[in-house]
Each structure stands twice: as structure tokens, then as C-alpha cells.
């Protein structure tokens, strides 16, 4: 009846019938026809029906390598590569195939000239496995001539489990796979989000070695200034944050200026304060004027006093910083707070500048 409805163009009724008979579809239709059906459903917007049939196919395939390989290949042939990868994810997550079954699945996929799916099967299976198992899977891929995929597998796992980065790096070294360490760090540094990079840096600072932390930070130096700033203001480790300062200050001045003259909506007040104080405390003579003026224009009174003291100690001209503080909209509150802090001279100096500006 569903097939008849489809021939008549009554797709809504057709796909609803397939949804209701999803188990029958999964157990009776050949994999290529079931895959093609799912593709037609997705193209027509019948997502709920497609998902029902898809999940029934996952249940039907179970942990059996041959049927899993055949169905994944059929989904690729049906023009649904994303579903093919998702299918492998679903099957391997649900049934947690043994290493022998995983090897068989890869063999079936390779026999069907689907090496990309064979490689992905190892990656999908590794996500929730212990580090020792992950390393074995990557070693299998390397022996089969998939060196790049072996590294990608390690990167994929660590990106999802940053707490394991120190353990992973240590295990690679212990296993005589030193060459892969930097390749993994490169993959993490170039592909992970700013938040993920901060988490990785914290975990590596806690469980790794200073040399590995230095390598990762050196790789971060290739990222835009705004990205490094987000990492520095998010990472928990003060030592790691301080190690980022040279890379931050080595970034192109135009990037730094653009960052500090634009609205920094992505950073909280505490993050902005941490970033500015980190740079000023570490290298006040190298900080761009845009940063100093930016900080003086919004920092709390204690921060303004601290900034002026730091710059005076480093014998850095204060003209632009004082001008930024004097031009603040909350100047009355700032002035009152400065007096409470005992910074009377600074308060009078800012008031004089404000008068000169005609504010």
C-alpha cells in the first residue's frame, strides 16, 4: 500500500505508513532499498518517519559486521554520506563491538571499497574506549597505511575528552610514538574551539610536561589575536595564561588595536580585567596603547589605580590612559571612589583633564 501511495504521489500517507511499519521495513527490505527510502524521506522533509526507519535498521543490524557494512555502504550509494557516518556511530555506540568484530567490519568495508568508512569505524568505536584501546586502534590504522587517519583518530578522541590529553601524550611517548605527539597537538590547536583549547591547555598543564604546554602554546600563536585572548582569559591555570603573553603581544598590532577598540561582547567583565591585568603585569612596556586606554575606560577604581601605578613604575607616559579615564561617563562615581581609596592626587589630576576637555 505504501508503495502504491508513493507511485500516486501521495507522499505524506506513504511515509506515514512506512513509519508505522518501520520494523517491517528494516527486516524485509534489502539494505539498498531501505537506504534509498530514507533518502527520499529526508528529501521530502519527512524527518520523523526517516528517523524511525533508521533506528529500526540500527536495531536490525545489531553488532553483525556484514550487515552493518552493507547498510553503511548502501547509505553512501543512496547519496546520504552523513547518514552513513551517523549509522556507524549509532551501531558502534549501542553495541560496543569487540575488537574482532571491529576488524571484521573494517574488512567488509574495505572489500566494498569503502575505506573512508572503515577508517571512520575505528574513530567512532574509540570515542568511549580507554586510552590504551584508542592507541591500539590508531596503531591498526597506521599499519594499514592510514597514518593521517591514525592521528585524526587521536585528535578526535582527545578533542571530545580533553581530560585525557596528558594521559594520551604520556602513553604515546612511553610507547615510542614520539613523532605522533606534536601531530596530535597540531591537530588540536588548529581544529578546536577557543573554549576547548583553554580546557586542553589546563589539562596538559596539570598532567603533561612543560615542554608539551610550550608546544601547544606555540601552536596557538598561529591563531588570530582575538582567539588567543579568549583562551588566555578562560584558561584556569595562571602559569599557562602567563605563558601565552609573549604570543599575545607578538600578534600583529593592528589585530590588537582592532580587538581593544571594538566591543568585546564575548568576554565578561572579569575576563576582560584578567586579560588586561595579565598583559600589563607581564609586559607593561610592550602593551599597545589601545589596550591601556581600553582598560582605563571601564575598569573599576581599584583597577585604574593599579594600572596607573604599574605604568608609572615602568616609566610609561600616562597621557592617553588618563584621557580615557577622564572621559568616562561614570566619572563622578569614579572620582568619589578614588577619594575613598585615598588616591586624591589622581582624582584631582583626572578632574583637571576633564575640565580641559570641556566635559
Amino acid at each position: 500500500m505504501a508503495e502504491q501511495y508513493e507511485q500516486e504521489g501521495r507522499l505524506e500517507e506513504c511515509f506515514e505508513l512506512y513509519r508505522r511499519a518501520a520494523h517491517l521495513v528494516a527486516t524485509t527490505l534489502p539494505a539498498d532499498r531501505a537506504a534509498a527510502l530514507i533518502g527520499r524521506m529526508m528529501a521530502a522533509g519527512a524527518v520523523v518517519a526517516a528517523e524511525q526507519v533508521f533506528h529500526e535498521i540500527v536495531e536490525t543490524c545489531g553488532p553483525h559486521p556484514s550487515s552493518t557494512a552493507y547498510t553503511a555502504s548502501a547509505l553512501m550509494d543512496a547519496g546520504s554520506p552523513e547518514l552513513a557516518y551517523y549509522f556507524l556511530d549509532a551501531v558502534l555506540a549501542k553495541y560496543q563491538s569487540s575488537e574482532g568484530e571491529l576488524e571484521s567490519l573494517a574488512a567488509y568495508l574495505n572489500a566494498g571499497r569503502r575505506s573512508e568508512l572503515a577508517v571512520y569505524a575505528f574513530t567512532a568505536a574509540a570515542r568511549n574506549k580507554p586510552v590504551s584501546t584508542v592507541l591500539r586502534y590508531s596503531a591498526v590504522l597506521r599499519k594499514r597505511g592510514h597514518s593521517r587517519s591514525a592521528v585524526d583518530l587521536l585528535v578526535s578522541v582527545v578533542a571530545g575528552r580533553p581530560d585525557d590529553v596528558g594521559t594520551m601524550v604520556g602513553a604515546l611517548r612511553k610507547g615510542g610514538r614520539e613523532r605522533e605527539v606534536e601531530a596530535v597537538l597540531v591537530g588540536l590547536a588548529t581544529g578546536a574551539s577557543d573554549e576547548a583549547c583553554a580546557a586542553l591547555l589546563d589539562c596538559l598543564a596539570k598532567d603533561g610536561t612543560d615542554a608539551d604546554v610550550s608546544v601547544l602554546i606555540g601552536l596557538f600563536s598561529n591563531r588570530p589575536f582575538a582567539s588567543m585572548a579568549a583562551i588566555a582569559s578562560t584558561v584556569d591555570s595562571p602559569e599557562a595564561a602567563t605563558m601565552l603573553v609573549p604570543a599575545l603581544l607578538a600578534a600583529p598590532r593592528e589585530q590588537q588595536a582592532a580587538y581593544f577598540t571594538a566591543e568585546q561582547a564575548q568576554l565578561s567583565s572579569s575576563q576582560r580585567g584578567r586579560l588586561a591585568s595579565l598583559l600589563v603585569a607581564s609586559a607593561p612596556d610592550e602593551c599597545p596603547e589601545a589596550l591601556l586606554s581600553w582598560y582605563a575606560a571601564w575598569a573599576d577604581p581599584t583597577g585604574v589605580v593599579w594600572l596607573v601605578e604599574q605604568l608609572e613604575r615602568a616609566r610609561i607616559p600616562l597621557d592617553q590612559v588618563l584621557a580615557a579615564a577622564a572621559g568616562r561617563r561614570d566619572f563622578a562615581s569614579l572620582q568619589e571612589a578614588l577619594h575613598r581609596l585615598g588616591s586624591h592626587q589622581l582624582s584631582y589630576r583626572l578632574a583637571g583633564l576633564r575640565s580641559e576637555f570641556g566635559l
Side-chain angles (χ1 to χ4, degrees):
M1 186 180 293
E3 291 174 346
Q4 182 64 36
Y5 281 164
E6 188 167 13
Q7 289 176 6
E8 295 172 1
R10 298 164 62 182
L11 297 183
E12 186 173 344
E13 293 110 312
C14 163
F15 294 149
E16 173 59 18
L17 277 177
Y18 277 129
R19 184 193 68 77
R20 292 168 62 183
H23 179 71
L24 189 61
V25 170
T27 54
T28 59
L29 284 185
D32 55 345
R33 288 183 61 191
L37 173 62
I38 292 174
R40 295 198 301 275
M41 287 176 166
M42 295 295 290
V47 177
V48 174
E51 288 178 343
Q52 186 66 39
V53 173
F54 180 87
H55 290 304
E56 287 293 339
I57 292 175
V58 170
E59 294 288 342
T60 301
C61 282
H64 307 298
S66 58
S67 56
T68 299
Y70 186 27
T71 302
S73 298
L75 286 167
M76 290 290 280
D77 291 335
S80 303
E82 292 181 0
L83 281 178
Y85 290 116
Y86 183 56
F87 174 75
L88 290 177
D89 277 331
V91 170
L92 293 169
K94 186 174 181 63
Y95 294 103
Q96 289 295 300
S97 301
S98 67
E99 291 186 38
E101 289 171 336
L102 184 60
E103 287 273 11
S104 296
L105 172 59
Y108 279 119
L109 289 168
N110 281 321
R113 298 183 179 180
R114 291 296 182 187
S115 61
E116 72 278 23
L117 291 179
V119 168
Y120 185 79
F122 280 95
T123 303
R127 290 197 180 114
N128 298 313
K129 293 290 197 301
V131 168
S132 57
T133 303
V134 174
L135 293 177
R136 280 202 305 275
Y137 287 177
S138 68
V140 169
L141 290 176
R142 190 156 46 86
K143 288 177 182 177
R144 291 183 173 182
H146 301 292
S147 298
R148 182 65 257 174
S149 296
V151 171
D152 290 343
L153 183 152
L154 298 176
V155 170
S156 175
V157 170
V158 175
R161 293 155 47 183
D163 288 350
D164 286 341
V165 64
T167 304
M168 179 79 75
V169 167
L172 285 170
R173 287 209 166 93
K174 188 175 180 181
R177 297 168 63 176
E178 181 78 28
R179 293 181 181 179
E180 293 175 74
V181 171
E182 186 166 351
V184 170
L185 294 179
V186 168
L188 292 169
T190 55
S193 66
D194 297 336
E195 184 179 357
C197 284
L200 286 165
L201 192 54
D202 271 326
C203 294
L204 201 57
K206 181 178 68 175
D207 298 328
T209 64
D210 289 343
D212 293 326
V213 174
S214 297
V215 169
L216 191 58
I217 287 175
L219 294 168
F220 288 161
S221 64
N222 295 320
R223 298 169 80 99
F225 180 84
S227 174
M228 289 191 288
I231 296 170
S233 59
T234 306
V235 69
D236 290 331
S237 167
E239 295 79 14
T242 301
M243 290 175 71
L244 273 165
V245 170
L248 283 162
L249 294 177
R253 286 286 170 159
E254 59 271 18
Q255 286 189 20
Q256 297 182 44
Y259 182 84
F260 291 113
T261 54
E263 290 293 329
Q264 299 305 314
Q266 292 125 341
L267 296 182
S268 66
S269 296
S270 61
Q271 287 174 324
R272 291 186 297 176
R274 183 185 180 193
L275 175 63
S277 60
L278 174 68
L279 294 175
V280 173
S282 300
D285 56 330
E286 296 181 44
C287 290
E289 291 182 348
L291 180 157
L292 303 176
S293 299
W294 169 71
Y295 185 61
W298 63 265
D300 61 30
T302 303
V304 174
V305 172
W306 175 84
L307 176 63
V308 170
E309 289 176 347
Q310 292 288 316
L311 298 181
E312 285 182 331
R313 190 174 297 119
R315 298 183 179 180
I316 296 171
L318 298 175
D319 296 350
Q320 288 199 336
V321 169
L322 296 177
R328 289 169 54 148
R329 292 182 180 180
D330 64 342
F331 182 76
S333 299
L334 173 64
Q335 188 177 34
E336 182 180 344
L338 289 174
H339 281 301
R340 287 200 302 271
L341 290 170
S343 298
H344 307 296
Q345 186 177 0
L346 177 57
S347 178
Y348 295 140
R349 190 172 178 183
L350 292 175
L353 279 175
R354 193 171 175 84
S355 297
E356 289 180 22
F357 297 153
L359 299 174

